[in-house]
Amino acid sequence: MHPDGERATARAAAAEGAVLVTGTAATTAVADVVAAAREAAPDPAVWFQLSPHPRREVTAALARRAADAGCTALVVTVDSPVFGRHTRDLRNGFTDLPPGYTAENMRDLPGAPPGGLTDVPMSPEVSWQDLDEIVRGTPLPVLVKGVLHPADARLAVEHGAAGVLVSNHGGRQCDTVPAALDCLPAVADAVAGRVPVLMDGGVRRGADIAVALALGARAVGVGRPVVWGLAAAGESGVRRVLALLRDEYDHTLALCGGRRNADLTRDMVVRRGEPRW
């Protein structure tokens, strides 16, 4: 999307006080992403999205790299035991990263030479035991990403998760899966305040943030709008997107009669077809 890619996004997020989640398959190594964020803020919040690898020693090595780089949390993705069937990518002939781009976080790891996305295999056997090992093996708090069912949310907390991220992977993994927002209230009820609940998917305006917080989220993840800002204007474009979202959210909160996040309550959200109070 932009020659400065992850570095520009990291600087923008740090400058705006937002958490950046950099990924296992990023084309910029996690240490370089954290270094870029520190150019904009002395103590930025950079988290590392971790895709469990079929070889557990590779998963552990990735977690160590994230901690050594200065990341402040791991976000373990559990809804991608295999790649989804992305029909639009197939129609467009996109099967891997363009020449010259590599999954830098995989460099020099055993059995995983740097290369394209095919060098980031995901474990089809990921289990709660894997989560136990990740939690035990890292000093960082571990969030579990890709939770839609309340029973899984309860299990994640029981297995040491420091947070739960309600997500359907942007709808790109399994067709007909419910929207993350529809699953959010039940997951929030199941977690019952024991750990923070986050949500991503479909956040396009500040009002979307307000709805998610009213339904039980502590925070939201933003993906595509950030990419659009990056493509349009690089670092300044990402900053503009984040500032717009914050301004729109504040405006919506005020129009709902609120002054704090906690003033948003579930009864403020009325679904189509439901009775109006």
Side-chain angles (χ1 to χ4, degrees), residues 85-245:
R85 186 169 179 82
H86 303 166
T87 53
R88 183 179 297 177
D89 289 346
L90 294 173
R91 286 196 301 268
N92 292 333
F94 179 81
T95 57
D96 214 329
L97 295 173
Y101 290 90
T102 62
E104 287 293 340
N105 290 315
M106 305 303 295
R107 187 176 294 277
D108 300 326
L109 292 182
L117 296 178
T118 53
D119 286 321
V120 191
M122 295 172 288
S123 174
E125 299 178 348
V126 63
S127 67
W128 295 113
Q129 181 181 353
D130 292 288
L131 180 62
D132 291 338
E133 291 190 8
I134 293 170
V135 170
R136 286 196 303 267
T138 181
L140 302 178
V142 176
L143 293 84
V144 176
K145 179 181 186 293
V147 174
L148 295 175
H149 198 288
D152 284 330
R154 285 190 291 268
L155 282 168
V157 175
E158 292 168 6
H159 284 267
V164 172
L165 209 165
V166 181
S167 173
N168 67 6
H169 216 99
R172 298 182 298 113
Q173 278 298 93
C174 183
D175 196 14
T176 73
V177 69
L181 190 71
D182 291 334
C183 299
L184 174 60
V187 170
D189 289 344
V191 170
R194 289 176 289 173
V195 299
V197 174
L198 291 74
M199 189 213 77
D200 71 21
V203 176
R204 301 291 182 268
R205 303 294 298 270
D208 299 331
I209 302 172
V211 171
L213 267 59
L215 294 179
R218 182 78 62 85
V220 299
V222 183
R224 293 185 190 185
V226 166
V227 172
W228 297 334
L230 180 68
E235 179 181 342
S236 63
V238 176
R239 290 197 63 173
R240 179 64 174 153
V241 165
L242 295 174
L244 280 171
L245 287 170

